Amino acid sequence: MYLTRFRVNTARSEARRLLGSPHLVHGAVNMSFSTPPPRDGSGPRVLWRVDRNSPAETLLFIAGPARPDLTHLVEQAGWPAADGPGWTTFAYGTFLTALAKGDTWGFRLTANPLHHIRHPDDKEGARTKRAAHQTPYHQARWLLERQQRAGFEVVRKPVERRLLERGDEHELIVRDQRPLQFRRPPSKSGREDVRFTKVTFDGRLRITDPDTFRRTLTHGLGKAKAYGCGLMTLAPVR
């Protein structure tokens, strides 16, 4: 496994065009691999995420079982004349192997929190459809409901540090809700318009099941993984 960080040059019009379409980023990421890994669930998949940390710093993270070549992205959305390749790739496998039960980490996850609601055309209520969670409270609950199955638990705050009576029990911030809609080329399914909402979670977690947690990090969490959702990254707790 490898984790790659690429800094996007947002002063370039091609970079801004790329960032404006998850479908274009998805294609550019796939082109980074000579043989893209299968997406049938048999092994780790390619995951990516864009972090807009400040107007001067936009980062693209890519995780996958093979080492990517981002030369085309440097030419399109980086600094082609700069010294160095323009991206940094880390050997991720050793880090993943060392993860242990009880370890505490800071984390960031961009995800697509969904729930099922009754289909408006079904008066009997037997049919449901997916809908995005709209409030930070329900988006946080979406993640908390999945933490055990994903091999971790979000750290709870001491009572004296809670600012609210409800919804502030955990070391978790929900931010940057972004509804997205774009058109992709026609496929066999006939669907062209893609709509989803993504949000970013920042927080602190504790590993409860290392093997399950490693799968979460390498297979992603939630839906819309092809479009920049599902990748969780870790950072040491300060």
Side-chain angles (χ1 to χ4, degrees):
M1 286 294 298
Y2 296 89
L3 180 65
T4 298
R5 182 181 62 207
F6 172 79
R7 186 180 175 194
V8 182
N9 183 356
T10 54
R12 305 187 67 171
S13 59
E14 278 297 302
R16 296 192 297 272
R17 176 175 171 269
L18 182 72
L19 293 174
S21 170
H23 181 70
L24 292 179
V25 181
H26 168 64
V29 169
N30 279 348
M31 290 172 60
S32 303
F33 302 92
S34 58
T35 305
R39 295 174 54 187
D40 57 5
S42 60
R45 63 174 294 161
V46 174
L47 302 167
W48 62 271
R49 186 184 78 222
V50 173
D51 285 1
R52 294 175 171 86
N53 297 328
S54 71
E57 185 182 64
T58 297
L59 302 175
L60 169 65
F61 288 91
I62 303 171
R67 184 184 292 272
D69 181 348
L70 304 185
T71 304
H72 61 297
L73 273 174
V74 173
E75 295 171 351
Q76 179 182 6
W79 285 266
D83 295 333
W87 70 90
T88 305
T89 297
F90 308 91
Y92 204 27
T94 303
F95 172 79
L96 294 173
T97 301
L99 294 174
K101 184 175 181 178
D103 287 353
T104 302
W105 292 91
F107 75 90
R108 176 169 292 176
L109 166 70
T110 293
N112 174 216
L114 296 171
H115 64 129
H116 288 84
I117 61 174
R118 189 177 70 181
H119 199 284
D121 298 331
D122 184 6
K123 296 181 180 180
E124 297 181 358
R127 295 171 57 200
T128 61
K129 68 174 185 176
R130 292 174 180 170
H133 283 300
Q134 298 296 330
T135 68
Y137 173 79
H138 288 97
Q139 291 160 351
R141 298 311 304 176
W142 174 89
L143 179 61
L144 295 172
E145 289 168 359
R146 285 156 179 77
Q147 59 180 344
Q148 183 177 2
R149 297 194 302 272
F152 69 92
E153 60 182 7
V154 179
V155 175
R156 286 183 172 271
K157 290 182 179 180
V159 175
E160 62 272 15
R161 288 186 51 218
R162 299 177 186 176
L163 303 179
L164 303 172
E165 293 183 1
R166 180 171 177 265
D168 193 41
E169 298 92 349
H170 298 84
E171 298 275 3
L172 182 64
I173 296 172
V174 184
R175 62 178 179 83
D176 293 348
Q177 176 171 303
R178 187 184 295 264
L180 295 170
Q181 178 178 347
F182 59 93
R183 175 159 291 189
R184 64 183 179 187
S187 62
K188 293 180 180 179
S189 65
R191 293 176 298 176
E192 296 182 357
D193 290 332
V194 177
R195 297 182 180 89
F196 66 96
T197 297
K198 68 177 183 178
V199 300
T200 296
F201 301 93
D202 286 330
R204 185 176 296 185
L205 61 77
R206 184 177 297 109
I207 299 173
T208 57
D209 184 332
D211 289 337
T212 301
F213 186 57
R214 279 187 277 268
R215 180 177 176 84
T216 298
L217 295 178
T218 57
H219 288 71
L221 185 62
K223 302 294 185 181
K225 297 183 183 74
Y227 299 120
C229 295
L231 173 60
M232 176 184 285
T233 54
L234 305 178
V237 174
R238 297 180 180 178

